[in-house]
Amino acid sequence: MRVTISEFARLVGLAPSALRFYDDCGLLPPAEVDATNGYRYYDQSQRARARLLRDLREIDLPLPEVRVALDADPSEVAEVVRAHLRTLEARSAATRTAAANLLTQLLAEHTTAVLGGPELASAIRQVTPTAAVHSEDNLVLSCVLIELGPDELSFVATDRYRMAVRTVRPVEFGGASGQVLVPADQLAAVSRWAAAGDIVRIEARSGERVRLAYGDEVRELDTIDAEYPAYQAILDNLTPPACRVVVDRQALLDVLAGREVVAFDIDPDAVRIGDEVKLDAVGSGSVRIGFTAGLLAAALEASVGPDVLLEICASDRPAVVRSADQGTFTTLVMPVRLDG
């Protein structure tokens, strides 16, 4: 029996965004992809592999080792896990107990989410630069939308020319799902503070400021009562990419330096700028596309890891820029028209 990506995500405890990423990595491709609309369908027989993949990633096992472990014997997987655990610091029982006690003290009408401090700081760092510079004309676009749910928190920012989305799985969640809109500059200001916390608790209540706390320290953010652009509709309406390539992120950044507009000729083996630049790539499909160099560079700078994944539907549609090893962060960048 085959099920949709959302149903399969609930069955195996993975977010749909994670399933899409693991499909792109070749770790967990769907059993079927509808050729007309790109919808992914999974078979019930894939549940065991998906749950093993989920468990391996929850202990932060690197993707190359996950790829090996998924097809290994149980005894071999156990040895991989033991070796990995020897490199990690175990979270103390006292910290877990303190977090549980804090959660039980929260009022029922609060929406609360507990995140790892470094994860929250990373999400803030990646998303806030995409928000528009504050002005009276674009107050909403100078904010970050935070969507809170039991499965994941989404941080979203856009300035109309690019859009950044980062999802984070909460350690704990309480109350009803909801969303808040906070000024990007205020959120950016707490990034370094959040990074120092083992866990950070986010508390949100309608009509009140958002509270972020760890230990005895608290930070508060203003909330904006306004309607945010329907970003999910933009993501849902993206057509399947005609071209997808993985390229060295820093090398791509370097060739953008000092340029205003750049025209790329992309094929499965290389990313080229005329006869001047050739960067090795791995992927599929070919396309010629142009970008404002500064916009593309900003998206690359917010990514993490040595490689970046470019997904291009068409030369006049938003291009998806993703960290090759972090599927929870996605940036959309509008291309520019190339005359001639």
Side-chain angles (χ1 to χ4, degrees):
M1 177 181 175
R2 292 182 177 175
V3 297
T4 65
I5 188 170
S6 296
E7 293 170 328
F8 191 70
R10 287 192 293 270
L11 287 172
V12 301
L14 285 168
S17 60
L19 288 173
R20 296 186 189 98
F21 177 63
Y22 293 137
D23 176 17
D24 293 338
C25 292
L27 295 176
L28 187 63
E32 178 185 357
V33 178
D34 191 315
T36 60
N37 55 30
Y39 289 173
R40 295 169 169 89
Y41 296 91
Y42 290 79
D43 195 272
Q44 294 282 4
S45 63
Q46 296 178 281
R47 290 170 64 175
R49 183 180 180 89
R51 285 171 174 164
L52 176 58
L53 173 56
R54 175 201 65 196
D55 293 342
L56 293 173
R57 291 301 285 161
E58 283 183 350
I59 64 170
D60 293 327
L61 191 70
L63 282 176
E65 296 181 42
V66 169
R67 188 181 301 276
V68 173
L70 285 175
D71 298 313
D73 294 330
S75 60
E76 296 173 325
V77 177
E79 184 52 38
V80 170
V81 172
R82 291 190 193 99
H84 178 64
L85 290 178
R86 287 194 291 267
T87 69
L88 301 177
E89 293 183 359
R91 178 168 296 187
S92 70
T95 299
R96 291 194 297 269
T97 301
N101 291 338
L102 287 172
L103 289 171
T104 58
Q105 296 171 13
L106 298 175
L107 297 176
E109 59 267 28
H110 281 184
T111 296
T112 64
V114 177
L115 306 178
E119 279 190 295
L120 174 58
S122 173
I124 294 172
R125 179 189 67 80
Q126 290 176 316
V127 169
T128 52
T130 305
V133 177
H134 177 74
S135 75
E136 294 301 323
D137 296 331
N138 61 11
L139 180 60
V140 170
L141 296 184
S142 66
C143 294
V144 171
L145 176 69
I146 305 176
E147 291 188 331
L148 304 103
D151 295 326
E152 63 184 25
L153 272 68
S154 297
F155 297 79
V156 186
T158 181
D159 62 1
R160 290 195 181 96
Y161 301 101
R162 56 194 174 115
M163 181 173 71
V165 181
R166 170 72 190 274
T167 59
V168 180
R169 289 177 62 85
V171 177
E172 300 286 349
F173 186 87
S177 299
Q179 61 182 37
V180 291
L181 198 59
V182 301
D185 56 352
Q186 292 187 20
L187 186 60
V190 303
S191 175
R192 181 171 296 182
W193 171 83
D198 180 30
I199 58 172
V200 176
R201 186 175 73 256
I202 300 177
E203 301 178 18
R205 185 194 293 184
S206 179
E208 296 187 6
R209 305 182 84 195
V210 174
R211 289 169 50 92
L212 285 74
Y214 75 79
D216 296 328
E217 299 188 46
V218 175
R219 299 291 187 273
E220 293 189 343
L221 308 176
D222 293 333
T223 58
I224 307 299
D225 184 12
E227 185 175 349
Y228 199 74
Y231 82 93
Q232 191 60 53
I234 298 173
L235 295 177
D236 292 342
N237 288 329
L238 288 174
T239 57
C243 177
R244 176 188 284 127
V245 291
V246 175
V247 64
D248 184 280
R249 183 170 68 94
Q250 187 58 52
L252 189 55
L253 263 172
D254 290 343
V255 302
L256 294 174
R259 302 176 189 268
E260 293 185 4
V261 174
V262 61
F264 289 120
D265 290 295
I266 303 175
D267 60 42
D269 301 315
V271 174
R272 295 179 173 85
I273 303 177
D275 296 329
E276 178 185 355
V277 173
K278 177 185 176 183
L279 302 178
D280 291 336
V282 177
S284 61
S286 300
V287 70
R288 179 174 171 79
I289 190 169
F291 293 100
T292 300
L295 289 179
L296 182 57
L300 296 172
E301 287 170 349
S303 298
V304 296
D307 301 314
V308 67
L309 174 64
L310 304 178
E311 295 182 334
I312 301 166
C313 303
S315 60
D316 59 351
R317 299 293 303 276
V320 178
V321 180
R322 291 197 285 173
S323 301
D325 57 355
Q326 188 182 73
T328 58
F329 177 60
T330 299
T331 305
L332 268 63
V333 181
M334 288 299 299
V336 297
R337 180 176 177 177
L338 296 174
D339 295 330

